[in-house]
Amino acid sequence: MFNTPARPFDILTVFPELAAFAKSATRLHPRRGVPQAEASSVAGQMLWPAEEPWPTCQLPHLVEVIRERTAEDLDESRRADEHRAQLLAQYGEVLEQIADPERASQMAIAQQRMTEAKNRRSQRTTLRTWEPEAPTEPVPMVPVVQLNAADIPEVRFPDGTDLLQILWCPYQHPDVPGMHEHYSGPAPKVIWRAADSLTKAIAGASSATSANGFVLEQCVVHPEQITEYPDLEDLPEPLQSRVYSWIDSLDEESDYGYSNDLSVAPGLKAGGWPYWPHGPRPVQCACGSEMQLLLTLPNGERGAQSWTPLREQDHAAEQDYDAEFHDPTGFDGVRDELLIFICRQDSHHEVWIAIE
């Protein structure tokens, strides 16, 4: 139903060695709707064992706290003010050398705003911050995706299973096993099941609030297998440098680019290559094995026009923003995307999560 157009340029004609790095991925093409309980879906009902309780989270959540400023807070604020004072001095030196009155006026306004912000901070006796706090009672997890093995053939399922379920606690967490050390986000649970052993369908327990954009909209998915090539940052040298040189050689009027059109697909997907907007991260299981990308959950579904399914090209070209079309899952809890990786040797090992 949702067919991705052919790539606007065959990159293998220039770099045939990229064929060795090709990976299969499944674009899930989520669209809002009410999926059947046994179907692959986003935030829909899940097949569930009758005797198994719905999972809950008891990990500390980040909560907003307003407290009195400590001596340590004041010392940190003082160091920040000293740094800003240096910037203000630099602004003053630059202003003296600017002949353009309009530009000088803009910089003077910026200088004044920095001074006012510094004065406001110095007068505060309280500090607004986010701190970990254990919940008073277990928090029900919410469904993220349910995916049948037949729909995502590039994912290696553990023996005897054919259904993947991912749930998470929809609050910010400061410290969750398997997460990057600077990560703050939902705490996930990955479950591998045999669908024919499940006895009932169950709707996800509702959370107290739709915290941080982590409670998703129900979506029907339309799986489509595609081929991807590595993000520029994932290419080995000297191939990476050669691709960069090729990009620089493209005409400015070219209507395609390697990163946007020829490598990693946008949107919700299983498998394939990760996109690293802020530089690649080392991804290795604690057992020493390589990890593979399981799921990419982006902040918004749309990328370059060339990735828009053929049947939706006209809709994508419309000027008015359509939230349901551009962001069907409603996921907006991260800047770019959330990535979940699994161990290639044993999918039951702890997952690794990155937020970009």
Side-chain angles (χ1 to χ4, degrees), residues 75-110:
D75 187 53
E76 183 178 342
S77 179
R78 177 187 56 77
R79 290 194 300 270
D81 285 341
E82 289 176 353
H83 176 67
R84 294 185 182 95
Q86 294 176 356
L87 292 177
L88 287 171
Q90 295 172 6
Y91 266 87
E93 294 174 2
V94 173
L95 281 171
E96 293 176 358
Q97 303 173 19
I98 293 180
D100 182 352
E102 182 177 353
R103 179 62 175 155
S105 175
Q106 292 174 346
M107 294 196 70
I109 292 172

Side-chain angles (χ1 to χ4, degrees), residues 110-128:
Q111 184 185 39
Q112 178 63 28
R113 288 176 177 170
M114 290 177 68
T115 302
E116 292 172 353
K118 176 179 177 294
N119 293 337
R120 286 195 300 271
R121 282 190 299 273
S122 66
Q123 296 170 7
R124 293 176 185 158
T125 59
T126 60
L127 179 69
R128 186 186 298 269

